[in-house]
Amino acid sequence: MTVMDKPVSIDLDALYRESGIGAMLAEMDRELVGLTPVKTRIREVAALLLVEKARRSLGLKAEPPSLHMCFTGNPGTGKTTVALRMAGILHGLGYIRRDHVVSVTRDDLVGQYIGHTAPKTKEVLKRAMGGVLFIDEAYYLYRPENERDYGQEAIEILLQVMEDNRDDLVVILAGYKDRMDTFFKSNPGMASRIAHHVDFPDYEPDELLEIARLMVERMHYRFAPEAERAMGEYIGRRMAQPRFANARSIRNALDRARLRQANRLFEARERAVDADALLTIAEEDIRASRVFVQ
Amino acid sequence: MRLTQGQFSFLPDLTDGEITMQVQYALDQGWAVAVEFTRDPHPRNTYWTMWGNPMFDLRDAKGVMMEIDACRTANPDQYVKVLAFDSSEGFETVRMSYLVNRPADEPGFELVRAEGPGRRVDYTVRSHATARPEARHGA
């Protein structure tokens, strides 16, 4: 009789190919512009999980790593988008069972009356089990000015689940950097349970132009060559203005440009339009924006 | 007397792992899973007490397992069953139903004979559980 030995070596590369993680990372590289520190961190997490998987198949002890994360950054830097990808990657590596993301804010977790919060939070946690729970603007959970605020109760339930159900749920908190820091300072329990803090940098002007190009493509439009130049100029001017929200501002600008394009075509409706005219965003659609007036 | 009601009831009691797989199957079909409990499992007792609302928007069995565990902990000496409701047109009914908890001591049923005029006999199945004083409270 022979005893089946555990394999003594393992092909990491084969494991890598099997998980389909390469394709996912490549897609992330292609579709997410810039964000180098974020991509680096995701790669690191992917490598960790892959090695963890290899260790397990060799029979080495592998405590599941804690993967709760915190995404900080200014508005429109892609926190939600990356969280959605993260679920795909973690699912591909077999760390979570489903690739769903349940996205919530304070309102979904905290109740209005005594005894209302716990069932509400548990309901959300039940729904998120097996996947990713994404809490946007997580610092609103904690209201220091009101000591009887029910947010604290939600935080305590969250902490417990983050600890006990580590292999069922990955929690991602997101929000502005400075406010998240204050939040962690007043909730040391939360800070110590989150292993990965990922900071999303603001985009550079050329990255924003690249994003604009991708967005236009995804909307099934295209820039006229002069329109693209105008867009570059628009980005420079818009960034100097208050309430600039990175990629979100670009999307809004493009939505308004589409509106102007439609209006322009409608005004000239006695002439027949071809597909090309319907597809193209012209320079004047961009230049009509108020940032060029000021 | 061991109660045999619903699916799998002639098999040994399901383990938690097996329950998870059954629940996951139901969720994958898009069925809503509910947990109910009772002290009186009379075959004609259709309405067991609901443990919370049916779970309509879950995708992973873990959430249901948390509720099952909570219900079993709160009612260790009662019957607990899991139902899967299919809301799609043409079904709109329960597609799965099985026990996930039974009391250590199962009271069982008795057959009551009532003699009527002309020595006619009416038969009734009565749960022993309903004769117990605590059965007057709760389910």
Side-chain angles (χ1 to χ4, degrees), chain A residues 97-98 100 127 129 168, chain B residues 24 57 59-60 62 67:
Chain A
R97 293 189 297 272
R98 338 240 136 243
H100 71 225
R127 197 145 44 92
M129 278 295 161
D168 291 315
Chain B
Q24 191 58 55
D57 50 359
R59 288 189 52 196
D60 189 76
K62 180 68 191 177
E67 290 300 326

Side-chain angles (χ1 to χ4, degrees), chain B residues 29-31 85-93 95:
Chain B
Q29 308 301 310
W31 301 340
F85 179 79
D86 182 357
S87 61
S88 57
E89 204 182 322
F91 283 101
E92 292 155 8
T93 185
R95 299 280 297 264

Side-chain angles (χ1 to χ4, degrees), chain B residues 15-17 19-20 23 61-70 72:
Chain B
T15 63
D16 279 6
I19 298 171
T20 306
V23 169
K62 180 68 191 177
V64 177
M65 292 310 288
M66 285 163 72
E67 290 300 326
I68 292 176
D69 280 337
R72 285 195 291 208

